Structures are given as C-alpha cells and as structure tokens.
Amino acid sequence: MRVSSQGVTVVALLADPDAPTEIAQRMARTLPARLADKSGQRRRFEVEVVSEPFTAGTEDPTTLMRRIMDRGRAESWDIVVALTDLPLHSHGLKLVVDLSHEHGLALLSLPTLGGLRLQTRARRAVEETVLSLAGRRATGAEEPTQVQPLPAPFVSRFAPIHQGRVGEEETVDLRYVVSGPRGYLKVLVGMVRANRPWRLVPGLSKALAAALATGAVATVNSTIWNLAESLSAPRLVIATVGSVALMIGWLIVDAQLWHRTAERSPEARQRARLYNTSTIMTVGIGVLVCYTGLIVINLVWALFILNGQVFASTTRTPLHAAEYWTLSWFVASVATVGGALGSGLESDEAIRAAAYSKREQERRHMLQDDNGD
C-alpha cells in the first residue's frame, strides 16, 4: 500500500456480502466528511467500498489479516478496514477488532457491537479505527509496539470490551475482545441482528399459506369450537409453545440449518453453539411473527364468518369477545402445525439465510466462481 500525496487518505471498506456491505455503503456517504472534521489535520479522505467474501473458508483472524494485507497491496489504498458479520475468536475470547498500524489494516467483527443501533455503532467504530491508523501513518513512525488504546465507542458498560492479548508472531499490534456472560449475550444478539430475521417471514410464504388454509377450515369446525372452549389458559399456552417449537424444529431440520463441526477444539465447539443458538433465535422470531399474524387473521375471519346462535347451540356458551379470542388463539396453534407441513414446499434459500454456516458456504461458492472466471 502507498501513502497518498496531496493530503488525501484513501480508505477502503472491505466488506463481506449482504449486511456488512449494506452497512459499509451507508456509512461511506458521510464518512469522508466526518473523518476530515475529526482528524483536525486538514487532511481529506476518500472512501471506497469493496464487497467480496474475504472470510470464505476460514474464521481465523490471523489468516484473515493476511488476506486483507494481500488485498491491500494489490490496490492503491492507504488504509483497509474489513467488515464481517461472522463471530471471530482469538485466544478463546470473542474478537471485536484487530488493528495493524504498521500496515494500515483493521478487521472488525460486527456482531460484537450488538443488535441495537448497529449502523451508528459500526460507523463510530470505523471512524475511531481509521483515525487511529491514519494518525500512526501520518507520523511516519516505524515502531509498532507503542500504540495508544482506542477511545470510547469500543467500551460499553453493557458488555465488557477490553484490550486482548497479541501474539509475538502476529502482524496485529492492537486487539479488542469481549468476554463474560454479557459479552456472550451481546454477540448473540448481534448475530441475530446480522441474520435479519424479518427477512425470514417472506421466505415462509408457502408455510403461511398452508397455515391460513388450515385456520380458515378450523375456524368453522364445530369440534374445534368445543375443544377451544374446554381448554384452560395453561393448556392454550402449552399448545402455543408446542406448535411453535414444532415449526422451528421442522424448518431447521428440513432446511438443514443445524451447524455441525468436525473440529474438536473448544473454539470450534463454541462457534457451533453460537451458530445454532443464533439460528434457533432467528427462526423463532420469524415463526412468532407468523404466529401473531395468524391470530390476527383468524380473529378477523371469525368475526366475519361465525354465527352466534350456531356457536351457542353447539358449545352451550354465548359468543362473546373472550370466545372469539380463545378460538383464534387455539386455531393459530392448529394452523401452525399445518404450516409446518406446508413448509416442505418452501424454497430453502430464505430459510438458509438465517444460518451463518449456510452463508459461509455461499461465500465459498462465490470465491470459487471468481477464481474460475
């Protein structure tokens, strides 16, 4: 990499496809002006966004830093900040960011920033990273050992982010990691946020259609009426939990979302647990959204179609608001089971997008295609 002349620093945001690329593209609109204002050195910044699967085939930070270094050497960039939505690990801890001031490189793992205000947190993290790297290169310092810690956005009272250990043979000279139960929870929420579970709902269109058809028939079935009136609130809750769990389990099994690893290392097992937990949470959110939608639709359908006299003569209970609600609730559980059967007709693409392991396979295919061209 070269050092730009005429007071211009060229910053490359090397982003994995999908969410990291979208985040990088949004922040690139305002990043040059914000960096120029914060640098205070009358220096201009140019920001380029490059989308490519640089994490394909590996989750080792040392290997990824070498890839970033090789990629930067092939271009006229001063600073390279790589963004990934994969959870990375270093010495048993979850990696937030790796920096190499000597080479002007940084690797940022977005899930460690959490799931709330991700765009803002990512922008602030990139700003502080770039300013740290730019300041080091502007001074022309050769010794990489004395590096000042990064300021606030990397420190949060909600998750203990702190400096991590750097090996003697590594090109990295500054590392931040997250640890502890709160750190694990923050990474998990960040992974679910990166999965964007709301995109799963359109992917369940066929399952939702099957559930709606089941619900429409069940709503006018007198046996369902009697069952709904005989069930207590705890049993209705059990029916809800059972139907939702069945739907989640069937989607994960049918789309082969469960992540298995042949590696025996603790880090590999920890990654597998993170992957699987985030997948369950992502699919669960999608299913719960569908379940809520079923209750609303079933309630509207029941208000339109049911006859109070027929219902009362069959169940010996007047048809009031409580009966409408109980019936719609129970029918949603029955319809969800029908939707689980209908999910076999789904295209697996949207469902598989909920799993990090499947997105990793897509990146490998993209990299192979690029090499083939």
Side-chain angles (χ1 to χ4, degrees), residues 192 195 197 200 204 244 247-249 251-252 257 278-289 351 354-355:
V192 174
N195 284 340
L200 184 63
L204 299 176
V244 169
M247 183 71 156
I248 293 171
L251 288 172
I252 291 175
L257 297 180
S278 67
T279 297
I280 292 172
M281 291 179 63
T282 302
V283 177
I285 291 172
V287 172
L288 285 174
V289 170
I351 301 174

Side-chain angles (χ1 to χ4, degrees), residues 186-197:
K186 190 168 187 177
V187 172
L188 184 60
V189 173
M191 291 175 66
V192 174
R193 169 63 175 78
N195 284 340
R196 295 184 289 184

Side-chain angles (χ1 to χ4, degrees), residues 204-216 247 294 335 338-339 342-343 345-346:
L204 299 176
S205 57
K206 293 185 177 64
L208 189 57
L212 288 173
T214 303
M247 183 71 156
L294 284 173
S343 65
L345 303 174
E346 294 284 3

Side-chain angles (χ1 to χ4, degrees), residues 14-128:
L14 182 63
D16 263 335
D18 206 10
T21 296
E22 295 179 9
I23 290 173
Q25 289 173 341
R26 283 195 292 267
M27 76 169 65
R29 299 167 188 166
T30 59
L31 195 58
R34 294 180 64 90
L35 290 172
D37 290 340
K38 289 188 174 184
S39 65
Q41 299 176 359
R42 296 183 179 179
R43 190 170 187 86
R44 293 192 297 114
F45 290 84
E46 294 180 0
V47 178
E48 301 178 10
V49 177
V50 179
S51 178
E52 61 181 53
F54 71 93
T55 58
T58 184
E59 297 171 17
D60 176 52
T62 302
T63 303
L64 294 177
M65 287 296 284
R66 292 198 197 100
R67 287 185 179 180
I68 299 167
M69 185 184 303
D70 293 340
R71 186 70 174 86
R73 286 172 177 169
E75 303 289 343
S76 56
W77 300 329
D78 300 322
I79 294 172
V80 182
V81 180
L83 307 177
T84 180
D85 56 0
L86 291 177
L88 304 176
H89 295 77
S90 175
H91 303 289
L93 299 176
K94 298 164 190 67
L95 176 68
V96 179
V97 62
D98 266 351
L99 294 94
S100 173
H101 290 78
E102 180 182 2
H103 302 95
L105 308 174
L107 171 63
L108 177 64
S109 178
L110 294 175
T112 55
L113 301 179
L116 301 177
R117 301 176 62 212
L118 179 59
Q119 183 68 44
T120 301
R121 291 183 177 183
R123 175 179 54 76
R124 290 177 178 173
V126 170
E127 286 175 5
E128 299 297 342

